[in-house]
Amino acid sequence: MLARLDSVQSILKQAGDDAEMNTARERTRFAAGALAWRLVDQYPARLWDAQKGMKVIDTTLEEARRRHAALAQAQKDEPARHEQFAQRIVELDRRIQALIPRVAALGKEQQQVVQEIAVAELTRQKERLAGYATEARFAVAQLYDRANQSRDADHATKP
């Protein structure tokens, strides 16, 4: 608004001492006074807002500086951390490669033990089934004997 008011005042100065322009000059003077009064009246509130804005900017700027410092430190420290991870990976890979033959040997050994357990269990089941078969034969033989005894008894009682 000040720029607009300055533009109007410069146009009025160029117009010279024309009587018609005196009314416009007077109105421009009143508008300039009202604008000046409004600016002076609003100065404390605008100053307070500006100071508050500066505090926010300072806080944000400090946070940005802190983050920048942390980022710079991270950029400095990360290559060393990556190198430590790389060394650790190499060491763990070496240990894993050393353990692979042992794991393979233990796997074969475990397979043999499982096979032996399975064979032993199958042998026990075979022996148990053989026992059941023997018992079944004796039971069948007893049935035949009873059947023969009852047939012989029936023949002896029939004349």
Side-chain angles (χ1 to χ4, degrees), residues 124-158:
R124 278 194 294 275
Q125 286 181 3
K126 182 181 174 184
E127 290 171 359
R128 191 175 22 192
L129 289 174
Y132 291 156
T134 303
E135 288 177 16
R137 282 189 197 117
F138 280 125
V140 168
Q142 285 177 350
L143 289 173
Y144 280 133
D145 286 345
R146 286 183 195 150
N148 284 337
Q149 285 176 357
S150 101
R151 193 175 33 168
D152 288 344
D154 282 344
H155 283 298
T157 56
K158 283 187 185 178

Side-chain angles (χ1 to χ4, degrees), residues 104-137:
L106 288 173
K108 286 180 182 178
E109 183 180 326
Q110 187 177 29
Q111 182 181 6
Q112 286 177 336
V113 169
V114 168
Q115 284 177 347
E116 289 172 5
I117 291 171
V119 167
E121 184 60 32
L122 288 173
T123 303
R124 278 194 294 275
Q125 286 181 3
K126 182 181 174 184
E127 290 171 359
R128 191 175 22 192
L129 289 174
Y132 291 156
T134 303
E135 288 177 16
R137 282 189 197 117

Side-chain angles (χ1 to χ4, degrees), residues 59-109:
T59 303
T60 306
L61 186 60
E62 184 58 36
E63 177 67 18
R65 284 183 183 137
R66 187 185 62 75
R67 288 184 180 188
H68 182 266
L71 179 62
Q73 186 65 35
Q75 287 175 335
K76 180 181 162 189
D77 293 344
E78 286 306 309
R81 286 187 62 212
H82 284 128
E83 182 60 32
Q84 288 174 346
F85 283 134
Q87 290 173 355
R88 188 170 170 205
I89 289 170
V90 168
E91 174 62 26
L92 290 174
D93 183 53
R94 189 175 52 76
R95 287 175 55 191
I96 289 171
Q97 295 303 322
L99 289 174
I100 288 175
R102 184 172 176 212
V103 168
L106 288 173
K108 286 180 182 178
E109 183 180 326

Side-chain angles (χ1 to χ4, degrees), residues 24-37:
R25 282 188 187 98
E26 198 58 32
R27 288 181 66 188
T28 304
R29 189 177 66 81
F30 284 134
L35 183 59
W37 179 82

